[in-house]
Amino acid sequence: MIIGLLYWTVAAACWAYALAYGGKPSRWAFACFVMAMLGTTVATPGSGFAGVVGLVKVEAWSRMNPVLLATDTLYFLGLYVAALSCRRHWLIWSAGLQFVCVATHFGPLLDPGTNAKLYRGLETVWSIPMLATMVVGIFKDRRYERRVASTYPPSRRRPA
């Protein structure tokens, strides 16, 4: 219960920072995150509010979940498109971490006897580094933009 509440508190703080300071790429990534969160809630019983209070049904993780695989793949593609369409490096890292998350779905497909708790752990562990790379990346992007703005006149600046 505490871990779920802690995760959602940290996630809300990270996304608030991203929406406040990240610009258009962050808004796109947030929209993708919300869609992935809704898809995950539908795909895995007990991942919504029940997951926050610690009532996750492990049966949902006992085999490869095609709806969750589709949700995670769409989230990866959304981050990938965002990374290709702008110059923000944190999106590349987030897309890479989400790709690893997508790859973890193939473990239970190759070995149907995979432990449900192991599958769930490997699937969910990548969200923490994704939040960290987002916050650190936005912070570094803002610091770089301030440095460029103070060094070069507006006519010599590169677009974001």
Side-chain angles (χ1 to χ4, degrees):
M1 177 172 157
I2 298 295
I3 292 174
L5 289 173
L6 181 63
Y7 168 75
W8 284 109
T9 302
V10 169
C14 290
W15 281 111
Y17 178 80
L19 291 173
Y21 300 110
K24 188 176 179 182
S26 294
R27 288 190 296 275
W28 173 257
F30 179 71
C32 293
F33 173 79
V34 169
M35 297 305 289
M37 181 183 64
L38 294 173
T40 300
T41 302
V42 169
T44 56
S47 64
F49 179 72
V52 171
V53 295
L55 302 173
V56 175
K57 296 178 182 170
V58 179
E59 297 84 31
W61 299 92
S62 62
R63 62 191 172 284
M64 202 263 307
N65 188 334
V67 177
L68 188 59
L69 172 63
T71 299
D72 286 342
T73 302
L74 289 173
Y75 186 35
F76 163 70
L77 292 174
L79 291 173
Y80 181 72
V81 167
L84 290 177
S85 65
C86 72
R87 306 183 82 201
R88 305 288 188 229
H89 292 102
W90 67 268
L91 283 166
I92 297 168
W93 286 97
S94 291
L97 290 167
Q98 183 61 25
F99 180 75
V100 174
C101 179
V102 170
T104 61
H105 287 288
F106 293 99
L109 186 65
L110 297 173
D111 181 17
T114 302
N115 185 340
K117 290 182 180 179
L118 178 66
Y119 177 33
R120 182 173 184 260
L122 287 173
E123 173 65 22
T124 57
V125 73
W126 303 109
S127 60
I128 309 267
M130 283 176 58
L131 292 172
T133 57
M134 176 182 62
V135 170
V136 170
I138 291 171
F139 175 78
K140 287 185 165 214
D141 286 341
R142 287 174 47 85
R143 187 174 62 185
Y144 172 78
E145 288 170 358
R146 282 193 305 266
R147 195 175 322 141
V148 168
S150 66
T151 306
Y152 298 106
S155 62
R156 301 219 24 220
R157 292 183 203 156
R158 293 188 296 178

